[in-house]
């Protein structure tokens, strides 16, 4: 697939079908992601793939905790203090407004998608050691993006989301993830439900000149 075509198709999918994803394809995607750049070749990432019953168990436990009103307790909260600057805050506010308009006020679709972990048949959990420099977070980001672009090239859709990693104790209950690794990113993989209106939404990006400055002299 041409790179621009891959880039154009790479977008958040908020509802997947139940169609099974081949383990062979997942291995090919992860092999591509393994080629991501890394500080001093440290390759701090580790990958844990949940399929079948493991996904169903994680989804059920997440849903139960959410319905009980449990607050997120993701591993990265202990590594990074989230304090957004004005510029990203404005961008997030714009997304909220445009998404609400796109769904014609039916924001329950958005909430339900997160509670159900987007109905993803595959959940990929990415970790780094808890004893990691900030550069390892960057490395995890490059790995994630390469993984998602490769997934699109293999005919799959993706959904990276905080909702997938907000209860790490539940994830560890079903996945053999050591306590000294921080579960930093969760990505849903699968095939897009073309009937779901929420999958038609596409967030906008700010104009290039708003983020770029060239120094020529």
């Amino acid at each position: 697939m041409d790179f621009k075509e891959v880039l154009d198709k790479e977008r958040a999918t908020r509802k997947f079908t139940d169609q099974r994803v081949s383990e062979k394809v997942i291995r090919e995607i992860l092999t591509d992601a393994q080629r991501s750049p890394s500080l001093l070749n440290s390759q701090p990432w580790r990958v844990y793939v949940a399929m079948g019953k493991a996904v169903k168990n994680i989804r059920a436990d997440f849903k139960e905790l959410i319905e009980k009103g449990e607050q997120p307790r993701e591993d990265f909260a202990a590594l990074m203090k989230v304090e957004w600057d004005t510029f990203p805050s404005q961008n997030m506010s714009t997304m909220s407004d445009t998404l609400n308009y796109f769904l014609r006020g039916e924001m329950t679709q958005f909430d339900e998608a997160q509670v159900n972990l987007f109905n993803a048949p595959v959940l990929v959990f990415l970790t780094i050691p808890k004893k990691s420099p900030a550069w390892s977070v960057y490395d995890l980001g490059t790995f994630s993006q390469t993984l998602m672009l490769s997934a699109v090239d293999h005919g799959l859709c993706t959904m990276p989301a905080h909702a997938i990693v907000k209860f790490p104790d539940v994830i560890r209950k079903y996945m053999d993830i050591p306590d000294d690794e921080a579960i930093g990113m969760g990505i849903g993989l699968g095939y897009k439900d073309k009937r779901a209106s929420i999958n038609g939404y596409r967030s906008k990006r700010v104009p290039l000149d708003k983020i770029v400055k060239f120094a020529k002299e």
Side-chain angles (χ1 to χ4, degrees):
M1 194 181 297
D2 178 81
F3 177 71
K4 286 191 175 296
E5 185 180 358
V6 170
L7 194 61
D8 185 60
K9 288 185 176 181
E10 198 276 308
R11 64 172 72 180
T13 296
R14 293 180 171 85
K15 188 173 182 182
F16 295 90
T17 68
D18 294 327
Q19 184 177 346
R20 178 181 172 275
V21 178
S22 162
E23 182 177 333
K24 178 178 179 291
V25 170
I26 296 174
R27 286 182 174 276
E28 291 174 356
I29 291 168
L30 295 176
T31 298
D32 287 345
Q34 185 68 6
R35 298 172 61 184
S36 302
S38 174
L39 176 68
L40 299 174
N41 198 34
S42 56
Q43 303 177 68
W45 49 70
R46 291 292 181 273
V47 186
Y48 300 85
V49 183
M51 304 173 71
K53 189 176 180 180
V55 170
K56 293 178 181 179
N57 287 336
I58 292 171
R59 182 181 293 123
D61 284 12
F62 267 47
K63 190 170 184 178
E64 182 179 350
L65 290 175
I66 292 170
E67 289 174 349
K68 287 181 178 178
E70 292 280 345
Q71 294 300 305
R73 41 182 179 264
E74 67 276 13
D75 284 345
F76 265 24
L79 295 178
M80 298 180 294
K81 182 180 179 181
V82 179
E83 196 169 293
W84 298 103
D85 190 58
T86 303
F87 180 61
S89 294
Q90 290 173 340
N91 293 334
M92 287 187 288
S93 175
T94 299
M95 176 186 170
S96 178
D97 292 341
T98 57
L99 179 60
N100 188 51
Y101 176 78
F102 177 82
L103 294 175
R104 301 295 190 272
E106 297 181 17
M107 283 296 286
T108 52
Q109 290 186 55
F110 184 80
D111 297 333
E112 289 172 0
Q114 296 196 69
V115 170
N116 292 312
L117 301 184
F118 315 99
N119 197 46
V122 177
L123 297 175
V124 180
F125 300 102
L126 305 179
T127 76
I128 57 173
K130 287 183 177 178
K131 293 182 178 180
S132 293
W135 279 110
S136 289
V137 178
Y138 173 84
D139 285 359
L140 195 67
T142 65
F143 186 93
S144 300
Q145 180 68 346
T146 306
L147 186 160
M148 290 187 288
L149 292 175
S150 178
V152 172
D153 193 45
H154 281 79
L156 296 177
C157 294
T158 66
M159 182 64 206
H162 162 261
I164 298 174
V165 297
K166 61 184 179 180
F167 299 120
D169 49 325
V170 171
I171 299 168
R172 288 189 171 89
K173 179 180 175 182
Y174 300 105
M175 310 294 292
D176 188 20
I177 303 178
D179 288 335
D180 62 356
E181 293 180 23
I183 304 172
M185 175 61 70
I187 301 175
L189 291 180
Y191 297 93
K192 179 172 65 175
D193 184 344
K194 297 179 180 179
R195 298 170 300 175
S197 59
I198 196 171
N199 283 335
Y201 175 75
R202 187 165 194 174
S203 58
K204 295 182 179 180
R205 293 297 184 262
V206 299
L208 186 65
D209 288 341
K210 198 168 183 178
I211 66 163
V212 178
K213 292 184 179 180
F214 290 92
K216 299 182 180 180
E217 296 181 1

